[in-house]
Amino acid sequence: MTNRLPDIIAEDLDVLFCGINPGLAAALAGHHFLGRSNRFWAVLHLAGFTPAEISPHCGHLLLDYGCGITSAVGRATASAEELSPSEFVAATHELEQKIARYKPRFVAFLGKAAYAGMKGKRVIDWGLQPDRIHGTTVWVLPNPSGRNLSFQLDRLVSAYRHLYLEVLATLDD
């Protein structure tokens, strides 16, 4: 099994979704957000990013809609709780370089853990962040994992929809 999951990325994307790190099953299969309980693909569709729900096995199709996927920390684990704070700090430079190279308009961190760990902050608000990374607008969205019991599907869709509407509103910028 590979310890990393390849990015789905291209230059000048509207949104680069940044997960915390790959799950073991996703890394083994080579597909992002593969878990049966993961709601990422359904939420993207319901929020408006894609006209139909994309299968994790066809994740590369996300590029057709101006979106991509990366991970804050590349190491696959059974649970994100296995990551140490130092792993987030160590991964910061690589992620920032990726953003500088590919220049997405928005980077959306999926969950507060990765962004907080990379910024060394304890408190992070949902939504638009005051920081920019190499000119890229930063958002923090709830993690779509089925383990995230704090957010039911409708609340996830609403949060992602706010970003989608912002993407649409800034297309001419």
Side-chain angles (χ1 to χ4, degrees):
M1 178 180 85
T2 180
N3 197 27
R4 295 181 66 93
L5 186 56
D7 293 332
I8 297 173
I9 196 166
E11 291 183 358
D12 302 319
L13 293 170
D14 290 323
V15 181
L16 179 61
F17 292 99
C18 183
I20 297 170
N21 75 309
L24 292 175
L28 180 62
H31 302 289
H32 292 270
F33 303 107
L34 186 65
R36 230 183 0 224
S37 68
N38 197 296
R39 301 165 291 179
F40 178 77
W41 300 103
V43 168
L44 283 192
H45 166 60
L46 294 170
F49 285 99
T50 61
E53 187 173 332
I54 296 173
S55 159
H57 296 90
C58 297
H60 63 281
L61 295 176
L62 197 55
L63 296 173
D64 294 342
Y65 304 104
C67 298
I69 303 172
T70 191
S71 299
V73 175
R75 183 172 73 89
T77 60
S79 169
E81 285 79 34
E82 295 176 36
L83 298 173
S84 70
S86 64
E87 286 181 273
F88 289 113
V89 173
T92 300
H93 179 73
E94 182 181 344
L95 180 60
E96 288 179 350
Q97 290 306 108
K98 195 177 295 183
I99 291 168
R101 183 202 180 301
Y102 288 100
K103 299 176 181 67
R105 292 190 320 114
F106 293 85
V107 60
F109 287 87
L110 306 183
K112 293 181 178 182
Y115 189 64
M118 293 178 148
K119 289 303 207 178
K121 295 182 179 180
R122 290 174 125 330
V123 178
I124 299 287
D125 292 324
W126 296 115
L128 178 64
Q129 301 301 304
D131 304 321
R132 300 288 178 269
I133 301 174
H134 295 287
T136 295
T137 302
V138 177
W139 276 67
V140 176
L141 295 169
N143 192 306
S145 168
R147 294 179 185 176
N148 182 0
L149 301 177
S150 300
F151 284 86
Q152 296 301 319
L153 183 63
D154 61 332
R155 285 188 63 209
L156 282 172
V157 170
S158 177
Y160 283 60
R161 179 88 176 154
H162 286 298
L163 173 58
Y164 176 70
L165 293 174
E166 185 65 18
V167 169
L168 289 180
T170 60
L171 277 175
D172 294 333
D173 291 353

